[in-house]
Amino acid sequence: MILAIDIGNTNIVVGCIDEQKTYFIERVSTDRSKTELEYAIVIKNVLDIFKMSPKELEGGIVCSVVPQITQIVKLAAEKILKKEVMVLGPGIKTGMNILMDNPAQVGSDLIADAVGAIREYKPPMIIFDMGTATTVCVVDRKKNYIGGMILPGIRVILPGVRTSLDALTARAAQLSGIYLEAPKRVIGKNTIECMKSGIVYSNAALIDGVILRMEEELGEKATVIATGGLAKSIVPYCKEDVILDDDLLLKGLLWVYKKNS
């Protein structure tokens, strides 16, 4: 069993996983001001909550899209595990060809998603990771990573569903406090229902449309997988067949860890 950590712009996902199962997945806030010791306390507290002893863990691996704190979290995990922690990045073997203009620019989280999908599902595959940004990666029938998409939201930066919702409520006092949850109907009957329907169904329709266009470009049907903290709020409303896999990224980190151990 290993400790797997995914550092995102909004949340850090912490989990313990082995070949048989995922023991837990938890999310804590990403805080660029925290010190190594503070992150070590966070990791230790999460392990304690799930009654996991560091002695049970054979090692750890980190992937990150926040370079400022990657090393801080790595050292924090090593402080708890008393073992060297791997970082998914240049020089790490993934067993996957990345057919991009600049493979080094591909986010380590997307690589982990693709590796996990290759181990679990039949290619070709379209993988949606719905977090602060909604990203898409595509694996062809030969298990090559061939590209993807970043889905823009309301702001000029690259947001996902949560950022879109925050942007929508930020300038309107009456609209604050809206939670991303299932709307009662597509055609809203009041302001709150209209907002919920707009966020959920517009993003579900967006996913459906992206799937159709990517399959058209691939020239065949693809296995579609969705992961990330917001996927479960959107995917049930998609018309296309989409597999929900909350553990996908951790599965990918596990296999990268095993390949490089």
Side-chain angles (χ1 to χ4, degrees):
M1 178 169 52
I2 67 164
L3 175 67
I5 300 175
D6 169 35
I7 304 171
N9 286 296
T10 303
N11 292 316
I12 298 175
V13 178
V14 181
C16 284
I17 185 170
D18 62 19
E19 291 91 337
Q20 277 70 51
K21 69 175 185 175
T22 301
Y23 292 86
F24 71 85
I25 297 178
E26 284 296 334
R27 288 173 171 83
V28 298
S29 296
T30 302
D31 186 343
R32 291 163 176 79
S33 68
K34 270 191 169 68
T35 65
E36 176 189 323
L37 178 60
E38 288 172 319
Y39 272 117
I41 291 169
V42 169
I43 294 168
K44 180 66 163 59
N45 286 343
V46 172
L47 291 174
D48 286 346
I49 287 170
F50 290 94
K51 296 180 172 56
M52 292 285 180
S53 169
K55 294 179 181 178
E56 297 178 74
L57 303 173
E58 66 177 82
I61 183 169
V62 172
C63 76
S64 174
V65 297
V66 189
Q68 305 96 307
I69 62 170
T70 303
Q71 187 68 8
I72 292 172
V73 174
K74 173 186 185 298
L75 293 173
E78 289 176 346
K79 195 181 289 288
I80 299 302
L81 298 183
K82 311 299 183 189
K83 301 178 180 77
E84 185 173 354
V85 170
M86 195 180 299
V87 176
L88 177 53
I92 295 293
K93 295 179 288 186
T94 64
M96 177 178 64
N97 291 322
I98 302 174
L99 306 182
M100 298 284 286
D101 292 341
N102 186 351
Q105 289 183 342
V106 180
S108 60
D109 55 336
L110 302 184
I111 292 172
D113 282 337
V115 171
I118 287 169
R119 297 286 307 198
E120 298 281 326
Y121 303 104
K122 181 181 178 181
M125 294 175 288
I126 301 169
I127 305 152
F128 290 83
D129 194 328
M130 304 182 70
T132 307
T134 298
T135 53
V136 191
C137 53
V138 180
V139 175
D140 69 13
R141 61 164 53 203
K142 296 180 180 179
K143 301 183 179 180
N144 299 312
Y145 186 110
I146 62 169
M149 182 185 287
I150 299 173
L151 306 181
I154 291 174
R155 294 184 182 177
V156 176
I157 58 172
L158 301 173
V161 178
R162 174 58 61 190
T163 311
S164 299
L165 183 59
D166 291 344
L168 186 59
T169 61
R171 293 180 179 84
Q174 286 183 307
L175 305 183
S176 62
I178 305 300
Y179 292 97
L180 185 60
E181 61 185 8
K184 293 180 180 179
R185 52 184 73 87
V186 177
I187 302 172
K189 296 296 186 182
N190 55 62
T191 301
I192 302 301
E193 280 190 359
C194 288
M195 285 184 62
K196 290 178 180 178
S197 178
I199 289 291
V200 171
Y201 285 107
S202 67
N203 279 278
L206 184 151
I207 289 171
D208 288 334
V210 168
I211 292 168
L212 291 173
R213 284 162 175 79
M214 285 188 165
E215 287 182 337
E216 183 178 4
E217 192 164 309
L218 286 169
E220 58 186 322
K221 292 289 289 182
T223 305
V224 183
I225 309 108
T227 191
L230 296 170
K232 63 177 70 70
S233 299
I234 304 298
V235 168
Y237 303 94
C238 293
K239 298 288 188 181
E240 297 294 311
D241 291 331
V242 182
I243 300 166
L244 267 174
D245 190 339
D246 198 39
D247 304 352
L248 184 67
L249 192 144
L250 295 194
K251 292 173 183 174
L253 288 178
L254 172 65
W255 296 118
V256 171
Y257 177 87
K258 292 294 185 184
K259 192 171 188 64
N260 289 272
S261 293

